[in-house]
Amino acid sequence: MSKPRLVLFDASALVHRAFHAFAHGRQLMVSKTGEVTSAVFGFANILLKVLSDLKPDCYAIAFDRKGPTFRHEMAEEYKAHRPPTPPELIAQMGRVRQLVDAFDMPVFEQQGFEADDLLGTLARRAAKAGAEVVIVTGDADAMQLVDDEV
């Protein structure tokens, strides 16, 4: 019997990646009502492609919460030089949440932690319980989680 496959999505990283993929050198996608939808479209494509290709037994998604994390408390300069999130991207997060709700995906988020922190914990626990774990993210920091089970 094969191991169950768990796919974990880093929503925050994937939405950022999708937004910037469309923002650089391309026209932003806009609905008939004038709502920018590029990040939602890109995120939906990633989600559908991964679910179709990997056919997971279960999946979950994690979001960053607004506000400081434990890393900010450890190092005041953490992400201090990062530019602010573009308003066109912030405006699309509600639609991304609607999409995730439509898929009835389990959502993980916790104040003081980033999505990748939560996914790392979930990945380790699931692997220890005998699952094959795939993390879908655009965050290179997740590479530290890669091993035989993740």
Side-chain angles (χ1 to χ4, degrees):
M1 185 170 158
S2 64
K3 292 181 174 185
R5 179 177 293 154
L6 168 64
V7 174
L8 300 170
F9 293 91
D10 182 341
S12 301
L14 295 173
V15 170
H16 271 85
R17 180 165 287 236
F19 175 78
H20 290 291
F22 283 97
H24 292 295
R26 299 185 188 161
Q27 188 85 11
L28 290 174
M29 296 176 70
V30 180
S31 71
K32 291 179 183 180
T33 61
E35 181 179 5
V36 178
T37 58
S38 306
V40 180
F41 176 77
F43 176 76
N45 279 335
I46 293 167
L47 193 65
L48 292 170
K49 176 83 170 130
V50 169
L51 293 175
S52 173
D53 288 356
L54 297 183
K55 297 176 182 26
D57 298 293
C58 50
Y59 47 83
I61 192 159
F63 284 91
D64 290 339
R65 279 250 171 118
K66 195 172 185 168
T69 68
F70 71 92
R71 287 185 182 84
H72 291 97
E73 294 171 15
M74 292 171 52
E76 198 170 303
E77 68 277 357
Y78 180 69
K79 294 189 179 181
H81 301 293
R82 182 173 284 186
T85 304
E88 300 86 5
L89 174 55
I90 293 170
Q92 294 180 70
M93 290 308 294
R95 292 285 186 212
V96 169
R97 294 273 185 166
Q98 287 178 327
L99 178 66
V100 169
D101 288 346
F103 274 85
D104 198 26
M105 297 182 83
V107 174
F108 293 86
E109 57 188 338
Q110 185 173 344
Q111 195 62 47
F113 293 90
E114 294 180 0
D116 57 339
D117 298 319
L118 301 174
L119 294 178
T121 300
L122 292 168
R124 287 287 167 243
R125 288 183 180 178
K128 189 174 181 179
E132 171 195 357
V133 182
V134 177
I135 299 174
V136 182
T137 182
D139 188 341
D141 290 342
M143 292 301 293
Q144 63 188 317
L145 299 169
V146 174
D147 63 18
D148 291 339
E149 287 80 33
V150 179

